[in-house]
Amino acid sequence: MSSEIVKFEADDGQMVEFGEKEVRDLVCPEASPRDVSLFLAFCQAHKLDPIGAKDAYLVGFRDKKTGNFQASIITSYHVFNKIACSHDDYDGIESGIIVADSQGRVTEVPGAAFFPNLGQTLLGGWARVYSKKRSHPFVVRVSLADYTTGWGNWKSRPAMMIEKVAKCQGWRGMYPEEMRGMYGAEEMDQAAPQSYEPPAVESVETVRQAPAAETVQAPPAPPAPIDAYKLALIRARDERGVPVADAMAKVREIISKPPEAYDEADIAAAVTIVDGLGQPELEYEVVEEQLPLSEDDIPF
């Protein structure tokens, strides 16, 4: 077992300390020693607490052909915002979604509200990050088609998800040194596990012509389907308080095979089951209807 220990003082003054045992017990039991070592180094470098503050996650899948477990590091959305706000030059962010109306006109809308019933179609997200040291904001526009999985929050709240992708890319583009190798869960839903070096970059537009070309990391290749199940478990735990063990037990009641043996249909079913856990139960009003009586129906 690795002797590496992550230790640092959190923003609230509390000491954070954890090592390989805590990562295996509480974060990712199947991770290899190399994956755990990289995760520990990543958390130490960025002062991330994956246990208490849930700043980062180590998630992955088992390759059906090789049997190898491949893991990826996911950074929580709030970490991007916290790092940006820690800079004195940070001057805020504007963000929203890109929609097309029934006439095909494309508009950038602030926020994440769109109205399909009025003929609007969601196309993507955008963000503008401002710095007091720059004359131009850092601008990002991302396509919904590049990130949506059609499952979970991507199905129920696609506008919120794609706006988060744009904001994470905007913050990372403005402060690349501090956020190098950081990717949010929304970005990684469509990403295969990879090393933690930044992937290939794509150009982004700016509001006005900037002195130098700006770039932002492009999304990696599509993921293995099992990642959708992993992320559904994370959402259930963090958003609705459902323990991972309880959620997996519920899935096993219906799908009687281990996760590494799931095919795509099994994964889709598992995600649906987990996404339904912890949701508020619908309330129904029982109405007693008086049935009409007929002399033909009554023998006395």
Side-chain angles (χ1 to χ4, degrees), residues 280-288:
E281 295 184 1
L282 297 176
E283 296 184 359
Y284 299 93
E285 180 181 358
V286 178
V287 178
E288 295 184 0

Side-chain angles (χ1 to χ4, degrees), residues 113-269:
F114 82 109
F115 307 95
N117 57 319
L118 298 181
Q120 289 186 337
T121 301
L122 179 62
L123 301 178
W126 62 272
R128 296 186 184 93
V129 183
Y130 294 88
S131 168
K132 298 171 186 176
K133 295 181 180 179
R134 296 191 180 198
S135 60
H136 300 74
F138 188 91
V139 179
V140 173
R141 297 181 179 89
V142 293
S143 170
L144 177 69
D146 290 338
Y147 293 91
T148 182
T149 64
W151 296 336
N153 282 336
W154 281 107
K155 181 177 181 180
S156 60
R157 292 182 282 181
M160 178 199 72
M161 297 292 280
I162 197 64
E163 184 191 17
K164 280 188 174 183
V165 170
K167 292 173 76 172
C168 287
Q169 290 199 11
W171 281 321
R172 188 170 60 243
M174 180 62 78
Y175 302 108
E177 291 302 317
E178 292 88 339
M179 301 187 197
R180 183 181 302 276
M182 289 186 174
Y183 296 91
E186 296 79 13
E187 296 178 278
M188 295 296 288
D189 281 352
Q190 279 281 31
Q194 57 168 8
S195 65
Y196 307 121
E197 293 298 321
V201 298
E202 62 179 6
S203 62
V204 294
E205 301 176 18
T206 55
V207 174
R208 297 180 294 274
Q209 184 63 40
E214 301 280 7
T215 59
V216 65
Q217 288 89 349
I226 195 66
D227 276 0
Y229 178 38
K230 292 272 187 180
L231 291 171
L233 292 169
I234 291 172
R235 287 193 300 269
R237 179 189 65 191
D238 295 349
E239 297 176 7
R240 304 189 299 279
V242 180
V244 170
D246 291 353
M248 293 182 69
K250 188 65 176 179
V251 171
R252 282 196 298 270
E253 292 178 6
I254 301 172
I255 305 174
S256 58
K257 60 174 80 169
E260 56 268 24
Y262 287 0
D263 56 25
E264 292 191 7
D266 294 328
I267 293 169

